[in-house]
């Protein structure tokens, strides 16, 4: 019986040494692990969605591959309402290699509340990253990151209709338009404005192209041809119905009173 | 000796697993004391008991002191969770192997004594 006992002792010792070596090398690998985040990029989808792409760089110079890397981001507004959720999964990040991941978050601007097109907001991004370190140590990191959402049509304003010319049947009317593009992307599209007198009398309709680079102020004007008969009736107040059609989103009608 | 080798790496782990250095120190001190005592009582049944005690202590230490093996660190900006259950499972299994060895040693010791007509 002495031999089996001795063999059992030797086997136990070897296993302990292997375990100790594993812990030492795994801990040593930690210091050779690097993460980096690139500059975010914005692109659009054909259905007016905004894709926010975040490049991630993982430099795994350790001895062990990282498995089941899973990154999840949940964007929510100040009230906690979920706006967008996205996940990126990478089965294996091999040892001694640099790996990059593009984490794509689709923000459907058509689906989110209209107010975010006109008002800046503090949004929260809940980031959860999980991976299996050294094959047998599941690790998870979670963080809440707050960031300022810049409204693409911040401070959108239509001025009062101003007479700019006339002929026997129509009055040429100009309506100034302005807004600030606080968003991280450019806006290119059309704005259509319907001019109503009183409650529901359509006087005229006008369309204009808008092209506002990010973080710039846009000013323009819309030209209407208002029938003389309607204008002479003394309708000096009413409302505009505004429709936006851009590469990023479609929105409308937005009702703005005048007069 | 293993502890001396591992000590610098435990320092690396200490920001993730708070108090791991103290936990491992207690484990190592008790183990070293039990090893010395079992060496001193070698070729007696007490040596086998001390070896078994060492294995049982390690298992109990892993189960009670380290809990479920899931450590969570929450600095102000993020939360890091490390699940060391698998590592603790391996430690517990190796300790069970050591316990089995000690039990076999004790049985062998007693049977040898019985065969030779000596009292343990």
């Amino acid at each position: 019986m002495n031999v089996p006992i001795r063999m059992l002792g030797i086997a136990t010792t070897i296993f302990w040494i292997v375990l100790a070596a594993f812990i030492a090398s795994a801990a040593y690998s930690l210091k050779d692990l690097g993460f980096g985040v690139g500059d975010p990029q914005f692109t659009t989808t054909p259905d007016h969605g905004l894709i926010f792409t975040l490049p991630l760089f993982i430099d795994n110079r350790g001895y062990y591959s990282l498995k089941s890397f899973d990154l999840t981001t949940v964007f929510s507004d100040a009230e906690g309402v979920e706006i967008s959720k996205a996940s990126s999964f990478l089965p294996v990040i091999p040892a001694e290699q640099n790996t990059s991941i593009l984490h794509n978050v689709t923000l459907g601007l058509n689906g989110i509340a209209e107010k975010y097109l006109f008002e800046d907001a503090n949004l929260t991004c809940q980031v959860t990253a999980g991976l299996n370190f050294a094959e047998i140590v599941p690790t998870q990191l979670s963080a809440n990151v707050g960031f300022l959402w810049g409204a693409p049509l911040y401070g959108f304003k239509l001025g009062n209709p101003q007479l700019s010319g006339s002929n026997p049947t129509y009055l040429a009317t100009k309506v100034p338009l302005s807004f600030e593009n606080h968003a991280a992307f450019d806006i290119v599209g059309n704005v259509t404005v319907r001019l109503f007198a009183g409650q529901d009398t359509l006087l005229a309709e006008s369309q204009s192209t808008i092209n506002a680079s990010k973080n710039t102020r846009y000013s323009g004007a819309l030209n209407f041809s208002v029938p003389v008969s309607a204008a002479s009736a003394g309708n000096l107040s009413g409302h505009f119905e505004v429709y936006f059609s851009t590469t990023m989103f479609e929105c409308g009608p937005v009702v703005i009173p005048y007069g | 000796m293993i502890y001396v080798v591992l000590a610098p790496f435990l320092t690396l782990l200490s920001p993730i697993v708070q108090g791991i250095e103290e936990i491992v120190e207690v484990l190592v001190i008790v183990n070293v004391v039990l090893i010395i005592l079992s060496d001193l009582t070698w070729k007696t049944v007490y040596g086998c008991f001390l070896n078994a005690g060492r294995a049982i202590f390690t298992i109990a230490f892993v189960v009670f002191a380290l809990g479920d093996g899931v450590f969570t660190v929450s600095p102000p900006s993020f939360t890091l969770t490390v699940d060391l259950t698998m590592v603790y499972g391996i430690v517990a299994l190796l300790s069970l192997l050591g316990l089995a060895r000690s039990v076999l040693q004790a049985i062998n010791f007693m049977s040898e004594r019985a065969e030779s007509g000596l009292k343990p």
Side-chain angles (χ1 to χ4, degrees):
Chain A
M1 199 156 170
N2 276 328
V3 175
I5 290 169
R6 192 166 297 162
M7 292 309 292
L8 198 58
I10 291 167
T12 309
T13 308
I14 290 170
F15 282 136
W16 275 113
I17 290 167
V18 169
L19 181 66
F22 168 76
I23 292 170
S25 58
Y28 188 74
S29 294
L30 272 181
K31 81 173 186 59
D32 294 328
L33 199 59
F35 291 92
V37 181
D39 290 332
Q41 293 164 352
F42 291 91
T43 48
T44 55
T45 61
D47 57 340
H48 303 288
L50 174 68
I51 299 176
F52 167 73
T53 305
L54 189 69
L56 295 170
F57 309 105
I58 301 168
D59 186 16
N60 181 15
R61 293 285 152 203
Y63 301 121
Y64 300 97
S65 59
L66 308 174
K67 292 201 170 168
S68 307
F69 177 80
D70 181 25
L71 177 70
T72 304
T73 49
V74 180
F75 286 85
S76 54
D77 64 12
E79 286 84 37
V81 178
E82 187 178 306
I83 294 169
S84 174
K85 184 175 181 179
S87 288
S88 297
F89 181 78
L90 206 60
V92 182
I93 299 167
E96 307 277 328
Q97 274 188 30
N98 258 325
T99 308
S100 359
I101 308 167
L102 292 176
H103 180 64
N104 293 321
V105 179
T106 305
L107 294 168
L109 291 180
N110 283 334
I112 68 169
E114 201 174 78
K115 66 176 181 176
Y116 294 121
L117 297 176
F118 299 98
E119 293 170 20
D120 291 346
N122 284 312
L123 300 185
T124 305
C125 178
Q126 189 187 352
V127 184
T128 309
L131 55 85
N132 213 339
F133 178 71
E135 316 278 346
I136 60 164
V137 185
T139 308
Q140 191 181 63
L141 186 138
S142 54
N144 278 326
V145 183
F147 70 95
L148 187 71
W149 164 261
L153 300 168
Y154 181 82
F156 182 83
K157 252 191 323 198
L158 287 174
N160 281 326
Q162 297 161 1
L163 190 65
S164 60
S166 65
N167 64 30
T169 51
Y170 288 97
L171 294 174
T173 309
K174 188 182 265 187
V175 174
L177 172 156
S178 67
F179 64 88
E180 291 171 24
N181 180 7
H182 286 183
F185 48 86
D186 300 341
I187 297 175
V188 179
N190 293 315
V191 57
T192 304
V193 178
R194 301 171 83 185
L195 174 63
F196 283 87
Q199 287 297 311
D200 54 3
T201 309
L202 178 64
L203 294 181
E205 183 174 318
S206 177
Q207 195 177 64
S208 175
T209 304
I210 50 173
N211 190 340
S213 302
K214 56 186 174 185
N215 299 315
T216 58
R217 181 179 172 79
Y218 179 85
S219 294
L222 291 151
N223 294 310
F224 292 90
S225 293
V226 181
V228 172
S229 54
S232 60
N235 294 315
L236 299 172
S237 64
H239 67 270
F240 297 110
E241 275 186 10
V242 189
Y243 298 84
F244 299 95
S245 176
T246 70
T247 50
M248 297 286 185
F249 56 87
E250 292 210 13
C251 166
V254 177
V255 177
I256 300 172
Y258 70 88
Chain B
M1 237 180 99
I2 288 171
Y3 173 72
V4 172
V5 174
L6 283 181
F9 303 110
L10 289 173
T11 314
L12 281 174
L13 278 176
S14 59
I16 301 165
V17 187
Q18 281 177 339
I20 192 158
E21 282 175 292
E22 290 80 8
I23 290 169
V24 175
E25 270 170 20
V26 171
L27 183 66
V28 169
I29 289 167
V30 174
N31 265 288
V32 167
V33 169
L34 288 173
I35 287 168
I36 292 167
L37 288 176
S38 66
D39 279 352
L40 288 173
T41 55
W42 187 58
K43 288 199 173 175
T44 69
V45 77
Y46 301 111
C48 302
F49 288 156
L50 287 165
N51 278 332
R54 187 159 61 91
I56 290 168
F57 169 78
T58 308
I59 295 167
F61 190 82
V62 166
V63 172
F64 292 111
L66 305 176
D68 57 0
V70 179
F71 290 89
T72 302
V73 188
S74 298
S77 55
F78 64 90
T79 304
L80 182 67
T81 307
V82 181
D83 186 354
L84 295 174
T85 312
M86 192 79 91
V87 176
Y88 295 156
I90 294 168
V91 170
L93 282 175
L94 288 181
S95 300
L96 275 176
L97 212 57
L99 179 64
R101 182 173 165 258
S102 304
V103 170
L104 285 176
Q105 266 181 329
I107 292 167
N108 186 46
F109 181 82
M110 295 296 280
S111 63
E112 276 179 357
R113 284 294 174 119
E115 279 169 11
S116 60
L118 293 169
K119 284 185 179 176

